[in-house]
Amino acid sequence: MEAVAESPDSSGPFLKNPLLNGVQFLDQALSRSSSGQGSREASVLTKAAQLNLISTPSEEEDDDDDDDLDSVEEAIRMVPDQPSLPYSSLPTGVCYDSRMRFHTELDPSKDRSEYHPEDPRRIFWIFRTLCEAGLVYNKELTKGPVVQRPLRMLPARHAKREEVLLVHEEDHWEFIKSTASKDNDYLTAIEKHYDSIYYNQSTFYAALLSAGSAVDTCLAVARSNVVKNAIAVIRPPGHHAVSDASMGFCHFDNVAIAAKVVRQREAEIRKVLIVDWDVHHGNGIQQAFEDDPNVLYISIHVHQDGRFYPSGPYGDHLHCGIGAGIGKNINIPWPEKGMGDADYLFAFQHIVMPVAFDFNPDFVIIAAGFDAAAGDQLGGCFVTPACYAHMTHMLKSLAGGKLVACLEGGYNLQAIALSALAVTKTLMGETPPKIPETAATHIGVETVRKVIVHQSKYWKCLEPKHTADDFAGLPGVERMHDVIRAYQSNVLYDTHKMIPISIYRDKISRSFEKQVLATPKYANEQPLLLVFHDPPELAGQPLTKSGRMELHQISMADVLNYYISWAIKQGFNVIDVNIPKFLTGISDPDGDELDEALKIKSAMDELAIYLWENYVEVNDAECVLFFGVGMAYHAISHILNTRTWEQLRQYHGTIGFTSDGELPRVNEMNISDLGKRFYKSSLIYTSRCHPFWNKEQKKLSKKHGKLQRSKASTLNAMMWAHKEEVQEFLLDRSGLPLPQVKVESSTDLLKTRVEADGDTIMVAANVHS
């Protein structure tokens, strides 16, 4: 039966095809049901209301007609059975309490113009921005209209002692508690003994409010009867606080405490995912769960080989958990600042989300630090509010939408307010805005792939599955960098009779065996080109099914060989120094990343000085030019920084190529104007996506040399794109003659031959007379 619309003054409810009207009709029927009358009517109309088949009728409508009930029942039968949607009907929650602002510095430095980064205004700026956007009503802060379904305010409370002790030791609890009764002089004095911490008499209570608010916000979402998801605007932050100490602005580990309480009190919450996108590694959260198989902690942070706070190797990609928790700790450690939206989204798409779906959590907590946001004075990265929105949107797809974002760091007031606003809008259901830049940087891709290789043994969703460990203990195993260097040596010997130079130093002689090659007459008076370079770049695609790398799918780019051949033909002598990424007798394949990098740099610096003192300074060449490629370019700056100008009398200039990593610079400890001299005698090319160019540069330092931003992004592509400029520079600085150019023309074709010691390069172009 199809319900037919009637006039509003008819005796039955106002029917429309196929929906019926009658909220008042329902109310009256329910009232009669409560008095013992109209039980059928109430039952039918209750079901109709659940299916959204009724709406308000006119006042004249008669609510007693059984025929109308037959129509309603028929309409109900026409609607297929469907589950209720409680999640979509719930609002998003927000927890904020101004009392958390009472934790402040007692004795700020008098000569400091700026506030402490962990500023009490941080949470106020976020909450005020939410109010001004109309997402939540506050009689003092909300000026305009409020959205149809605003945020629901969740009450803050102090964490209980037993909750805090789930993560922290009792001595730590007692110490923080004792600060509430200490005088200012005592609190100011003890700050000096702690790592990036300040106290006042309200610190204990503010820290309890922060932790307790995180707990209750998570419980409200976990129980699914108050809010569907939420953001906790809390401070002080917590993810650096370890079991027995405060550090890094943090006193109690809010997120860790909340995760433990939720799992303890809610039987349905068995597995918890914690995603920490604060720019600093959350060492406290990692410590709390590193042996727990039911908590997956993923941190995306700047690491800088352990030089970035909280420093050390704990945040590197090799720390994957311990015991039963092995594989449930994933660190994505950026080697440099300057990472942007595309890098974070690349990490999410290739690691965070595949692993999260594999883990299949019951609850998700974001340790939502916003200090990777563009403009943050500590983070130095360039993540936009739109990127935070996209990451939140992806995480909402997990755990049935049970998601809480707990504020951690973020110290640019405007940046954290706008970033938190974007996250909150996404939690409320708004679609994230577009992100224009989607190509990750080279170091971003490299970092993600390095993490994938290491974590693939624990996660079936990550490829590749095969590493060099498969060959452990087998005879005839060679590292590819040794194979490739042997090939290079053979090519350079066959082409130019270049031979290995012996290194007579106990620590490095074996490590650099066959890595230093020279032309036969390198010691005579001809200009000498001293080349320090990384191994050639490799590119390949693993097999889709097995993840293995086959040789026919791997290509090697070695544009440097072109330069060496060109230089020799121009009359240069050449010393070619290859700096492997793994040094035999020095490197440990299972060693700490920072320690290994320092070992290689130390060995490279020692080799550079050895070569200068024993093969360069003593030879007859009046002109020495440096050519640096990749991280090996640092060896050149080490020579310049450790010599006097008299010792550098042969030095005439430097060419440098670097695609990522820290830019080398000269200092002026031995030579007062070395920066100016280096600038005038150098050409240093960086990739177009080098993090250096993302920084706000008031003035380029001459100590980096004459920097040029290439349009290319890889080392070999840069070397090829700028070969004419580099060749002209080397010839000019060496005093060697420029190649002769002859031009022959005809009516149809202009042909140019560049003749250089027997080589002819033909360039042709159509011309019209």
Side-chain angles (χ1 to χ4, degrees), residues 156-422:
R157 72 160 172 90
H158 293 98
K160 299 175 183 177
R161 179 177 179 275
E162 58 268 23
E163 293 172 336
V164 174
L165 294 186
L166 291 172
V167 173
H168 297 283
E169 296 179 7
E170 188 167 2
D171 286 348
H172 179 59
W173 162 272
E174 294 296 337
F175 170 73
I176 302 298
K177 181 181 178 181
S178 72
T179 61
S181 59
K182 302 297 183 181
D183 59 34
N184 291 358
D185 291 340
Y186 174 85
L187 295 176
T188 304
I190 64 172
E191 289 176 7
K192 300 179 175 60
H193 300 286
Y194 289 88
D195 183 4
S196 303
I197 287 294
Y198 63 78
Y199 300 96
N200 71 0
Q201 289 80 5
S202 296
T203 295
F204 176 59
Y205 302 106
L208 286 182
L209 266 180
S210 187
S213 299
V215 169
D216 271 14
T217 302
C218 289
L219 287 174
V221 173
R223 289 165 180 168
S224 299
N225 58 1
V226 180
V227 291
K228 60 184 178 183
N229 51 42
I231 181 169
V233 186
I234 55 178
R235 71 172 289 271
H239 72 152
H240 291 311
V242 291
S243 62
D244 60 351
S246 303
M247 62 180 290
F249 313 154
C250 304
H251 298 284
F252 294 138
D253 195 337
N254 308 318
V255 166
I257 293 169
K260 286 191 179 270
V261 172
V262 167
R263 291 178 60 214
Q264 185 183 74
R265 296 187 190 172
E266 299 301 313
E268 294 182 355
I269 306 300
R270 190 171 60 87
K271 295 193 294 183
V272 175
L273 166 65
I274 301 173
V275 176
D276 188 343
W277 65 44
D278 189 289
V279 79
H280 302 94
H281 176 237
N283 56 298
I285 302 178
Q286 178 169 311
Q287 182 197 62
F289 297 109
E290 61 185 345
D291 60 350
D292 192 330
N294 293 313
V295 177
L296 170 60
Y297 176 62
I298 304 177
S299 177
I300 310 175
H301 53 271
V302 174
H303 190 240
Q304 289 185 326
D305 294 329
R307 302 189 306 276
F308 197 71
Y309 192 87
S311 304
Y314 198 49
D316 66 23
H317 72 289
L318 300 175
H319 282 77
C320 304
I322 58 177
I326 191 72
K328 299 304 190 297
N329 190 91
I330 300 178
N331 288 323
I332 304 174
W334 302 133
E336 295 295 339
K337 294 182 179 182
M339 311 306 287
D341 291 355
D343 299 303
Y344 276 76
L345 293 179
F346 188 81
F348 255 69
Q349 292 161 351
H350 290 82
I351 298 177
V352 178
M353 296 310 297
V355 169
F357 277 116
D358 210 354
F359 181 65
N360 192 23
D362 303 307
F363 199 82
V364 179
I365 305 176
I366 304 173
F370 296 114
D371 40 6
D376 190 276
Q377 60 269 38
L378 297 186
C381 289
F382 301 94
V383 180
T384 66
C387 181
Y388 286 119
H390 276 272
M391 292 190 290
T392 304
H393 189 261
M394 285 187 267
L395 293 173
K396 276 179 62 181
S397 65
L398 303 165
K402 293 179 180 179
L403 171 64
V404 173
C406 293
L407 181 66
E408 290 288 351
Y411 309 104
N412 179 300
L413 298 179
Q414 184 175 18
I416 63 171
L418 293 177
S419 299
L421 175 63

Side-chain angles (χ1 to χ4, degrees), residues 36-84:
Q37 303 174 2
S39 59
R40 173 181 176 242
E41 194 174 350
S43 175
V44 171
L45 293 176
T46 299
K47 180 64 175 176
Q50 291 172 345
L51 295 175
N52 196 29
L53 295 179
I54 56 178
S55 59
T56 305
S58 65
E59 293 180 0
E60 294 85 1
E61 291 173 3
D62 185 354
D63 54 18
D64 259 340
D65 199 314
D66 284 344
D67 291 338
D68 295 327
L69 292 179
D70 291 339
S71 298
V72 175
E73 286 184 310
E74 180 63 25
I76 291 172
R77 285 192 293 272
M78 292 171 60
V79 179
D81 290 337
Q82 52 186 320
S84 59

Side-chain angles (χ1 to χ4, degrees), residues 94 127 130-132 134-138 142 146-147 150-151 153:
V94 60
F127 186 68
L130 299 180
C131 293
E132 291 175 347
L135 304 188
V136 61
Y137 177 75
N138 180 280
T142 306
V146 178
V147 296
L151 296 167
M153 289 297 302

